[in-house]
Coordinates of all heavy atoms in Angstrom, one line a residue:
D963 N -25.6 -24.4 -21.3 CA -24.1 -24.4 -21.2 C -23.5 -23.4 -22.2 O -22.5 -22.7 -21.8 CB -23.6 -25.8 -21.5 CG -24.0 -26.8 -20.4 OD1 -24.3 -26.4 -19.3 OD2 -24.0 -28.1 -20.6
V964 N -24.0 -23.4 -23.4 CA -23.4 -22.4 -24.4 C -23.8 -21.0 -24.0 O -22.9 -20.1 -24.1 CB -24.0 -22.8 -25.8 CG1 -23.5 -21.7 -26.8 CG2 -23.5 -24.1 -26.2
A965 N -25.0 -20.8 -23.5 CA -25.5 -19.4 -23.2 C -24.7 -18.9 -22.0 O -24.3 -17.7 -22.0 CB -27.0 -19.4 -22.9
V966 N -24.4 -19.7 -21.0 CA -23.7 -19.2 -19.8 C -22.3 -18.7 -20.2 O -21.8 -17.7 -19.7 CB -23.6 -20.3 -18.8 CG1 -22.6 -20.0 -17.7 CG2 -24.9 -20.5 -18.1
G967 N -21.7 -19.3 -21.2 CA -20.3 -18.9 -21.6 C -20.2 -17.8 -22.6 O -19.2 -17.3 -22.8
N968 N -21.4 -17.5 -23.2 CA -21.3 -16.5 -24.3 C -22.2 -15.3 -24.1 O -21.9 -14.2 -24.7 CB -21.7 -17.2 -25.6 CG -20.6 -18.2 -26.0 OD1 -19.6 -17.9 -26.6 ND2 -21.0 -19.5 -25.8
L969 N -23.3 -15.4 -23.4 CA -24.3 -14.3 -23.4 C -23.7 -13.1 -22.6 O -23.1 -13.3 -21.5 CB -25.6 -14.7 -22.7 CG -26.6 -15.5 -23.6 CD1 -27.9 -15.7 -22.9 CD2 -26.8 -14.8 -25.0
P970 N -23.8 -11.9 -23.1 CA -23.2 -10.7 -22.5 C -23.9 -10.4 -21.1 O -23.2 -9.9 -20.2 CB -23.5 -9.6 -23.5 CG -24.6 -10.1 -24.3 CD -24.4 -11.5 -24.4
E971 N -25.1 -10.9 -20.9 CA -25.8 -10.6 -19.6 C -25.0 -11.4 -18.5 O -24.7 -10.8 -17.4 CB -27.2 -11.1 -19.6 CG -28.1 -10.3 -20.6 CD -28.2 -11.0 -21.9 OE1 -27.2 -11.6 -22.4 OE2 -29.3 -10.9 -22.6
V972 N -24.6 -12.6 -18.8 CA -23.9 -13.4 -17.8 C -22.5 -12.9 -17.6 O -22.0 -12.7 -16.5 CB -23.9 -14.9 -18.2 CG1 -23.1 -15.7 -17.2 CG2 -25.3 -15.4 -18.4
K973 N -21.8 -12.6 -18.7 CA -20.5 -12.0 -18.6 C -20.4 -10.7 -17.8 O -19.6 -10.5 -17.0 CB -19.9 -11.8 -20.0 CG -19.6 -13.1 -20.8 CD -19.0 -12.7 -22.2 CE -18.7 -14.0 -23.0 NZ -18.1 -13.6 -24.3
G974 N -21.4 -9.9 -18.1 CA -21.5 -8.6 -17.4 C -21.7 -8.8 -15.9 O -21.1 -8.1 -15.1
A975 N -22.6 -9.7 -15.5 CA -22.8 -10.0 -14.1 C -21.6 -10.5 -13.4 O -21.3 -10.2 -12.3 CB -24.0 -11.0 -14.0
D976 N -20.9 -11.4 -14.1 CA -19.6 -12.0 -13.5 C -18.6 -10.9 -13.3 O -17.8 -10.9 -12.3 CB -19.1 -13.1 -14.4 CG -20.0 -14.3 -14.4 OD1 -20.8 -14.5 -13.4 OD2 -19.9 -15.2 -15.3
L977 N -18.5 -10.0 -14.3 CA -17.5 -8.9 -14.2 C -17.9 -8.0 -13.1 O -17.0 -7.5 -12.4 CB -17.4 -8.2 -15.5 CG -16.8 -8.9 -16.7 CD1 -17.0 -8.2 -18.0 CD2 -15.3 -9.1 -16.4
R978 N -19.1 -7.8 -12.8 CA -19.6 -7.0 -11.7 C -19.2 -7.6 -10.4 O -18.8 -6.9 -9.4 CB -21.1 -6.7 -11.8 CG -21.5 -5.9 -12.9 CD -21.2 -4.4 -12.7 NE -21.7 -3.6 -13.9 CZ -21.4 -2.3 -14.0 NH1 -20.7 -1.7 -13.1 NH2 -21.9 -1.7 -15.0
V979 N -19.2 -8.9 -10.3 CA -18.8 -9.6 -9.1 C -17.3 -9.4 -8.8 O -16.9 -9.1 -7.7 CB -19.2 -11.1 -9.2 CG1 -18.6 -11.9 -8.0 CG2 -20.7 -11.3 -9.3
K980 N -16.5 -9.6 -9.9 CA -15.1 -9.4 -9.7 C -14.8 -7.9 -9.3 O -13.9 -7.7 -8.5 CB -14.4 -9.8 -11.0 CG -14.5 -11.2 -11.4 CD -13.7 -11.5 -12.7 CE -13.8 -13.0 -13.1 NZ -13.2 -13.3 -14.3
G981 N -15.5 -7.0 -9.9 CA -15.3 -5.6 -9.6 C -15.6 -5.3 -8.2 O -15.0 -4.5 -7.5
A982 N -16.7 -5.9 -7.7 CA -17.1 -5.7 -6.3 C -16.1 -6.3 -5.3 O -15.8 -5.8 -4.2 CB -18.5 -6.3 -6.0
A983 N -15.5 -7.5 -5.7 CA -14.4 -8.0 -4.8 C -13.2 -7.1 -4.7 O -12.7 -7.0 -3.7 CB -14.0 -9.4 -5.4
L984 N -12.9 -6.5 -5.8 CA -11.8 -5.5 -5.8 C -12.2 -4.3 -5.0 O -11.4 -3.6 -4.4 CB -11.4 -5.1 -7.2 CG -10.5 -6.1 -7.9 CD1 -10.3 -5.7 -9.4 CD2 -9.1 -6.2 -7.2
G985 N -13.5 -3.9 -5.0 CA -14.0 -2.8 -4.2 C -13.7 -3.1 -2.7 O -13.5 -2.1 -2.0
V986 N -13.8 -4.3 -2.3 CA -13.5 -4.7 -0.9 C -12.0 -4.4 -0.6 O -11.7 -3.9 0.4 CB -13.9 -6.1 -0.6 CG1 -13.5 -6.5 0.8 CG2 -15.4 -6.3 -0.8
Q987 N -11.2 -4.8 -1.5 CA -9.7 -4.6 -1.4 C -9.4 -3.1 -1.3 O -8.6 -2.6 -0.6 CB -9.0 -5.2 -2.5 CG -9.1 -6.7 -2.5 CD -8.7 -7.4 -1.2 OE1 -7.7 -7.1 -0.6 NE2 -9.5 -8.4 -0.8
V988 N -10.1 -2.3 -2.1 CA -9.9 -0.8 -2.1 C -10.3 -0.3 -0.8 O -9.6 0.6 -0.2 CB -10.7 -0.2 -3.3 CG1 -10.7 1.4 -3.1 CG2 -10.2 -0.6 -4.6
A989 N -11.5 -0.7 -0.2 CA -11.9 -0.2 1.1 C -10.9 -0.7 2.2 O -10.7 0.1 3.1 CB -13.3 -0.8 1.4
K990 N -10.4 -1.9 2.1 CA -9.4 -2.3 3.1 C -8.1 -1.5 3.0 O -7.4 -1.4 4.0 CB -9.0 -3.8 2.9 CG -10.2 -4.7 3.3 CD -9.8 -6.2 3.1 CE -10.9 -7.1 3.6 NZ -10.5 -8.5 3.4
G991 N -7.8 -0.9 1.9 CA -6.6 -0.1 1.8 C -6.6 1.1 2.7 O -5.5 1.6 3.0
A992 N -7.8 1.6 3.1 CA -7.8 2.7 4.0 C -7.3 2.4 5.4 O -7.0 3.3 6.2 CB -9.2 3.2 4.1
L993 N -7.1 1.1 5.8 CA -6.6 0.7 7.1 C -5.1 0.8 7.1 O -4.5 0.8 8.2 CB -7.0 -0.7 7.4 CG -8.5 -0.9 7.5 CD1 -8.8 -2.4 7.8 CD2 -9.2 -0.1 8.6
Y994 N -4.4 0.9 6.0 CA -3.0 0.9 5.9 C -2.4 2.3 6.0 O -3.1 3.3 5.6 CB -2.5 0.2 4.7 CG -2.8 -1.3 4.7 CD1 -4.0 -1.8 4.2 CD2 -1.9 -2.2 5.2 CE1 -4.3 -3.1 4.2 CE2 -2.2 -3.6 5.2 CZ -3.4 -4.0 4.7 OH -3.7 -5.4 4.7
P995 N -1.1 2.4 6.4 CA -0.5 3.7 6.4 C -0.3 4.3 5.0 O -0.3 3.5 4.0 CB 0.9 3.5 7.0 CG 0.8 2.2 7.8 CD -0.2 1.4 7.0
V996 N -0.2 5.6 4.9 CA 0.0 6.3 3.6 C 1.4 7.0 3.7 O 1.6 7.8 4.6 CB -1.1 7.3 3.3 CG1 -0.8 8.0 2.0 CG2 -2.4 6.6 3.2
L997 N 2.3 6.7 2.7 CA 3.6 7.3 2.7 C 3.7 8.1 1.4 O 3.4 7.6 0.3 CB 4.7 6.2 2.6 CG 6.1 6.7 2.6 CD1 6.4 7.6 3.8 CD2 7.1 5.6 2.5
T998 N 4.0 9.4 1.6 CA 4.0 10.4 0.5 C 5.3 11.1 0.4 O 5.9 11.5 1.5 CB 2.9 11.4 0.7 OG1 1.6 10.7 0.8 CG2 2.8 12.3 -0.6
L999 N 5.9 11.3 -0.7 CA 7.1 12.1 -1.0 C 6.7 13.4 -1.5 O 5.9 13.5 -2.5 CB 8.0 11.4 -2.0 CG 9.2 12.1 -2.4 CD1 10.2 12.4 -1.2 CD2 10.0 11.4 -3.5
N1000 N 7.2 14.5 -0.8 CA 6.8 15.9 -1.2 C 8.1 16.6 -1.5 O 9.1 16.5 -0.9 CB 6.1 16.6 0.0 CG 4.8 15.9 0.4 OD1 4.0 15.5 -0.4 ND2 4.7 15.6 1.7
G1001 N 8.0 17.5 -2.5 CA 9.0 18.4 -2.9 C 8.5 19.8 -3.1 O 7.3 20.0 -3.4
N1002 N 9.4 20.8 -2.8 CA 9.0 22.2 -2.9 C 10.1 23.1 -3.4 O 11.3 22.9 -3.0 CB 8.6 22.7 -1.5 CG 8.1 24.1 -1.5 OD1 7.1 24.4 -2.0 ND2 8.9 25.0 -0.9
L1003 N 9.7 23.9 -4.3 CA 10.6 25.0 -4.8 C 9.9 26.3 -4.6 O 8.8 26.5 -4.9 CB 10.9 24.8 -6.3 CG 11.6 23.5 -6.7 CD1 11.8 23.4 -8.2 CD2 13.0 23.4 -6.1
S1004 N 10.7 27.3 -4.0 CA 10.0 28.6 -3.7 C 11.1 29.7 -3.8 O 12.3 29.5 -3.8 CB 9.4 28.6 -2.3 OG 10.4 28.4 -1.3
S1005 N 10.5 30.9 -4.0 CA 11.3 32.2 -4.0 C 10.4 33.3 -3.8 O 9.2 33.2 -3.8 CB 12.1 32.3 -5.4 OG 12.9 33.4 -5.3
L1006 N 11.0 34.5 -3.5 CA 10.2 35.7 -3.2 C 10.9 36.9 -3.7 O 12.1 37.0 -4.0 CB 9.8 35.8 -1.8 CG 11.0 35.8 -0.7 CD1 11.5 37.2 -0.5 CD2 10.5 35.2 0.6
Y1007 N 10.1 38.0 -3.8 CA 10.6 39.3 -4.3 C 9.9 40.4 -3.4 O 8.7 40.2 -3.0 CB 10.2 39.5 -5.7 CG 10.2 41.0 -6.2 CD1 11.5 41.6 -6.5 CD2 9.1 41.7 -6.3 CE1 11.5 42.9 -6.9 CE2 9.1 43.0 -6.6 CZ 10.3 43.6 -6.9 OH 10.3 45.0 -7.3
S1008 N 10.7 41.5 -3.1 CA 10.1 42.6 -2.4 C 10.7 43.9 -2.9 O 12.0 44.0 -3.2 CB 10.4 42.5 -0.9 OG 9.9 43.6 -0.2
S1009 N 9.9 44.9 -3.1 CA 10.4 46.2 -3.6 C 11.3 46.9 -2.5 O 12.0 47.8 -2.9 CB 9.3 47.1 -4.0 OG 8.4 47.3 -2.9

């Protein structure tokens, strides 16, 4: 009981599980639309 709550091996494995769950959410984000705001400033010169 003490080791499960304190050993870094267990903590690291649990954090990897949470990270993998967020990886699923990141992959699902590709199904949604993407909205982007673009701005442009330009000028030119000719001899």
